[in-house]
Amino acid sequence: MFDPSYMRRCACQEPVIDEDGRPQKDANGKLKMRKIGASCPKLEEKDHGTWHLYFELEPGEGGKRQRVRRGGFAKKTDAQRKAKELYDAATAGTDVLSDETCGAFFLRWIKAKKSLARTTRHGYQEHLDNYLVPHLGHIKRRDLKVRHLDLMYNAIERENAERILHRLRVTELQEARDEAHRAWVKTAGYAKREERRPYRQAFLEANMALREGRRGLRKVTSPATMHRVNDTLSSALTWGIKREQAFAKNWSQLVELPSVTRPKPIVWTPERVEHWKRTGEKPGPVMVWTPKLTGEFLDFVKDDWLYELWHSFIFLGPRRGEMAAVPWREVSIDALWLRISQQIVEVAYQLYGETPKAESVRTVSLSLESADNLVSFRTKQEQKRQEWGAAYVETGRVWTHENGEALHPDWISRRFTRLVELSGLPPVRLHDLRHLAATLSLLAGNDIKVVQEKLGHSSRQITSDTYTSVLPEMMRAEAESVISVVPREVPYKVHTPLEIPETTWQGDLAVFFAHGARQAGEDWSVGAQIGPDSDLLGLVSLAGRGQDDAANAAVKWMRDHCTSNELELVRIENFNDQYQGDQRQEFALLRFTIARTETPSIAGWDTSHPAPLRRNNRQRRARSRAA
């Protein structure tokens, strides 16, 4: 039964009196004092003392009494409200009598989480050591509220301001050190030893000042890190609520933190590459090569020991830890698949083998070129095994150093970064190749679900939001496809009817261009040609205002021709954006792909047997292995 008691008490004191009515003194001669408590006559005054509450809960084990006491309330209504809150929390299962601190609770929580992955546990432990325990560890678990979290994040932001100032001071000291070093080096050509000595001394003093200034330099806590710390706290509070009703609410869900914007992948277009070459500025933290730049990189690393690994990163999109762990037993050259069921994780540069998340365990299909690359790399490994002899390290893994040692994931990243620098190509990170693999797959026309399975994501939404970029080719194709579905009535006059000679057809497809040029005023002529120097296949003219009208007239001309000759207009590509400056007002260029409606039938083909091409490639790979 909930029957709380309330009383007002104060901290007033009076001397301790002995039996004879004389004040008692301690060993130092000072008067002994005692608290008056509820008998203080000043309590009759309105603002003297504070309110305290007391009530009993149901007896505990062995009939032990459980008493709840709280005090320090300015008003009786505050004490009544707190008593009701404590009683409701106790009824719900919260241990309101516990004196456990948040620090002790966090340590108990991390020990109880037996199923955490090694990297996740390491991240949680860093958050506890660097943020949660220092800021919240002294607070009693039962007293934790959202205001304590606000104070913690405010303190982190104040520390950030101090760290930023510290970094600015270090930058100034480094510039001073570099300037002193340059001044010292300049004297090498003309000054005597005695004259150079002051410059050398100035450099040594600047270098010592820099070393002293770097002491205690710490990384600034970014908003993204704050969100991760809050996620760790949320996990701990949720565990405490579900397991033992340790908290009234998950206070971390009520905290307002600085917003975090996920960096969007940016494509290295020619304009961005040119700007990077001039200034060295990278447009964003996540960059993606175009297919042309990708081909240039593969050509550059063709003779590198790990060429086949870089090829696999680009076209298969794995994580570096997954590729470092792939064993040969999980690869089938004949069936063209590679199974990712292990990963190497790094914690404080120490390597550990782990099983990936369930959705990351997957089988990746290999192209014929990828399979041939694996055969080639296994051949190179066998040659190195013979060269190294007994010193060769047998790991059973696909990707290794030349002596057979396993690859460290961080070494793979550093090696890739170095190769990109040597190639002179615009910089991308190794992890950015996952974005590239996803983007190339979408450019090839694959469904987002296929890309999701390839990358090992739990949902297609993650793949769509995180690992896809829009290449210029995809943007142009989309723009042209949208325009092509809306017919435009641009009148034109036929001067030479369109005739497609049989030599233009490649099977059932014909590809040719429509080139428009301004003649005089607003008059345009549009001719159909196989190439820039070939004969005209047809010619029309129109009165138009610019490129768009010329392009629309060319599209209408081709549609009319296909309709009257029972042909199909398969694809329209607009290359008007290739013209620069004033040329945009004078020329237009489109490419058309047309198909015959009568196509060969599949009747007579036996689809139950593998194609001869697959058997030939399999035989070729078998001969390569035998060699």
Side-chain angles (χ1 to χ4, degrees):
M1 180 178 178
F2 181 50
D3 186 20
S5 299
Y6 306 96
M7 65 194 74
R8 200 158 55 149
R9 305 182 66 177
C10 67
C12 294
Q13 296 180 334
E14 64 180 6
V16 178
I17 306 298
D18 60 13
E19 295 179 356
D20 298 331
R22 292 176 297 183
Q24 295 185 5
K25 296 182 179 181
D26 58 17
N28 297 324
K30 293 183 179 181
L31 289 175
K32 291 183 179 181
M33 305 295 290
R34 70 178 183 87
K35 289 185 178 181
I36 303 177
S39 61
C40 179
K42 294 183 180 180
L43 289 177
E44 296 179 1
E45 300 176 6
K46 182 178 180 181
D47 296 329
H48 188 73
T50 57
W51 285 93
H52 293 247
L53 66 88
Y54 163 83
F55 65 89
E56 290 201 15
L57 300 174
E58 294 181 0
E61 295 182 4
K64 183 179 180 181
R65 298 178 68 181
Q66 300 190 94
R67 305 165 187 170
V68 179
R69 302 178 186 272
R70 297 289 190 274
F73 302 99
K75 299 179 181 179
K76 184 177 181 180
T77 55
D78 295 337
Q80 291 172 334
R81 186 163 47 249
K82 186 63 177 180
K84 183 66 167 61
E85 177 185 330
L86 291 171
Y87 181 77
D88 291 343
T91 304
T94 303
D95 185 5
V96 296
L97 299 176
S98 174
D99 288 329
E100 183 182 38
T101 63
C102 288
F105 168 77
F106 291 145
L107 296 179
R108 187 161 58 86
W109 162 70
I110 197 69
K111 289 180 181 178
K113 300 290 286 185
K114 305 297 185 184
S115 61
L116 288 178
R118 193 183 304 271
T119 51
T120 304
R121 179 179 296 278
H122 180 71
Y124 282 175
Q125 192 65 55
E126 281 191 339
H127 294 161
L128 292 179
D129 295 340
N130 297 332
Y131 303 99
L132 299 179
V133 172
H135 290 282
L136 305 177
H138 63 285
I139 301 172
K140 290 184 179 180
R141 187 192 71 192
R142 69 190 187 199
D143 296 333
L144 183 66
K145 296 292 183 291
V146 69
R147 67 175 183 274
H148 299 116
L149 309 190
D150 290 334
L151 292 173
M152 176 180 70
Y153 291 116
N154 291 339
I156 291 175
E157 291 183 345
R158 287 195 300 271
E159 292 173 358
N160 279 344
E162 296 174 358
R163 294 175 186 179
I164 291 173
L165 290 176
H166 190 178
R167 288 182 173 274
L168 291 176
R169 289 195 296 270
V170 170
T171 301
E172 293 176 356
L173 292 172
Q174 186 167 353
E175 292 174 353
R177 190 277 309 269
D178 294 342
E179 181 62 29
H181 184 263
R182 286 191 293 268
W184 176 40
V185 171
K186 285 181 181 179
T187 62
Y190 64 88
K192 297 180 180 180
R193 180 178 298 179
E194 294 78 9
E195 296 174 346
R196 295 189 64 200
R197 188 168 297 160
Y199 292 97
R200 180 176 182 273
Q201 184 62 32
F203 164 69
L204 293 177
E205 292 176 356
N207 193 49
M208 180 60 69
L210 176 60
R211 292 176 60 183
E212 290 294 329
R214 281 177 172 169
R215 290 185 178 180
L217 184 65
R218 296 186 62 184
K219 185 173 65 172
V220 175
T221 303
S222 66
T225 301
M226 290 187 193
H227 280 267
R228 288 193 290 270
V229 171
N230 204 58
D231 290 341
T232 300
L233 178 59
S234 178
S235 178
L237 299 186
T238 300
W239 179 85
I241 292 172
K242 289 182 177 179
R243 182 161 177 167
E244 53 197 38
Q245 286 291 322
F247 303 93
K249 293 181 182 179
N250 188 335
W251 305 112
S252 65
Q253 297 177 356
L254 304 178
V255 175
E256 292 188 10
L257 296 175
S259 61
V260 177
T261 303
R262 185 187 296 272
K264 184 178 181 180
I266 302 175
V267 179
W268 276 114
T269 59
E271 295 79 10
R272 290 171 180 149
V273 174
E274 182 62 29
H275 179 77
W276 167 75
K277 289 181 178 179
R278 290 197 316 268
T279 64
E281 294 179 0
K282 190 177 176 182
V286 182
M287 301 300 298
V288 177
W289 281 330
T290 61
K292 180 177 181 297
L293 294 175
T294 304
E296 292 179 6
F297 175 76
L298 289 174
D299 292 340
F300 176 79
V301 299
K302 183 170 56 177
D303 297 327
D304 186 73
W305 165 254
L306 293 173
Y307 163 77
E308 294 82 0
L309 175 62
W310 312 129
H311 185 282
S312 299
F313 271 118
I314 289 173
F315 291 102
L316 303 183
R319 302 174 179 88
R320 65 179 190 175
E322 294 172 343
M323 289 303 272
V326 173
W328 278 112
R329 66 176 181 272
E330 294 295 322
V331 177
S332 176
I333 301 297
D334 293 334
L336 298 176
W337 56 260
L338 178 152
R339 180 169 173 79
I340 294 177
S341 58
Q342 302 178 37
Q343 66 176 346
I344 301 296
V345 298
E346 172 197 345
V347 177
Y349 211 77
Q350 295 296 316
L351 299 184
Y352 303 91
E354 283 190 356
T355 302
K357 297 178 181 178
E359 59 269 12
S360 295
V361 177
R362 61 197 185 278
T363 300
V364 181
S365 297
L366 302 175
S367 65
L368 295 176
E369 183 176 356
S370 296
D372 288 342
N373 283 338
L374 289 172
V375 172
S376 174
F377 192 78
R378 185 153 59 183
T379 302
K380 292 194 300 184
Q381 274 185 333
E382 184 58 36
Q383 293 173 352
K384 294 298 180 182
R385 182 180 286 106
Q386 296 175 3
E387 293 176 8
W388 284 79
Y392 190 83
V393 181
E394 296 289 350
T395 61
R397 291 178 180 164
V398 174
W399 310 109
T400 62
H401 291 287
E402 295 185 27
N403 66 345
E405 289 184 355
L407 299 179
H408 193 293
D410 187 60
W411 182 91
I412 297 175
S413 296
R414 288 186 283 109
R415 176 60 180 167
F416 175 77
T417 300
R418 181 57 178 160
L419 289 174
V420 173
E421 292 175 352
L422 294 174
S423 69
L425 293 171
V428 299
R429 305 172 305 161
L430 179 66
H431 193 74
D432 294 343
L433 297 186
R434 277 174 66 79
H435 299 268
L436 177 60
T439 304
L440 292 177
S441 185
L442 292 177
L443 181 62
N446 295 319
D447 187 81
I448 191 70
K449 182 64 177 178
V450 176
V451 181
Q452 172 205 332
E453 296 292 338
K454 179 178 182 177
L455 298 182
H457 289 151
S458 58
S459 69
R460 59 195 302 164
Q461 186 66 36
I462 295 177
T463 307
S464 177
D465 291 346
T466 309
Y467 286 99
T468 56
S469 307
V470 180
L471 293 173
E473 294 86 347
M474 298 170 66
M475 292 290 290
R476 186 167 61 242
E478 187 275 339
E480 296 307 324
S481 64
V482 170
I483 291 178
S484 64
V485 300
V486 180
R488 301 293 300 276
E489 291 296 331
V490 180
Y492 62 88
K493 180 179 180 181
V494 178
H495 291 276
T496 304
L498 178 62
E499 293 185 7
I500 306 176
E502 192 62 31
T503 55
T504 305
W505 292 94
Q506 300 293 327
D508 292 313
L509 294 177
V511 180
F512 54 88
F513 293 85
H515 180 240
R518 187 188 296 273
Q519 299 302 312
E522 295 184 351
D523 293 336
W524 284 71
S525 62
V526 180
Q529 296 173 271
I530 303 299
D533 299 324
S534 63
D535 296 334
L536 287 175
L537 305 181
L539 180 67
V540 299
S541 64
L542 67 143
R545 291 172 295 178
Q547 276 186 340
D548 292 341
D549 283 352
N552 288 329
V555 172
K556 187 175 186 302
W557 180 27
M558 295 304 159
R559 279 206 178 95
D560 293 345
H561 178 80
C562 291
T563 300
S564 59
N565 291 275
E566 297 184 352
L567 300 174
E568 180 183 357
L569 184 56
V570 177
R571 190 175 184 184
I572 305 170
E573 298 170 272
N574 192 324
F575 296 99
N576 288 343
D577 59 349
Q578 301 296 317
Y579 294 107
Q580 305 296 325
D582 295 339
Q583 289 185 335
R584 290 180 178 272
Q585 304 300 322
E586 305 297 329
F587 301 101
L589 183 64
L590 296 91
R591 181 165 61 191
F592 296 92
T593 302
I594 293 179
R596 290 168 171 161
T597 55
E598 295 182 2
T599 58
S601 172
I602 65 171
W605 289 89
D606 187 355
T607 58
S608 63
H609 295 288
L613 179 62
R614 176 65 55 84
R615 289 200 298 270
N616 290 341
N617 276 281
R618 186 176 300 168
Q619 294 169 0
R620 177 164 56 85
R621 290 194 295 275
R623 288 196 300 270
S624 177
R625 290 196 298 271

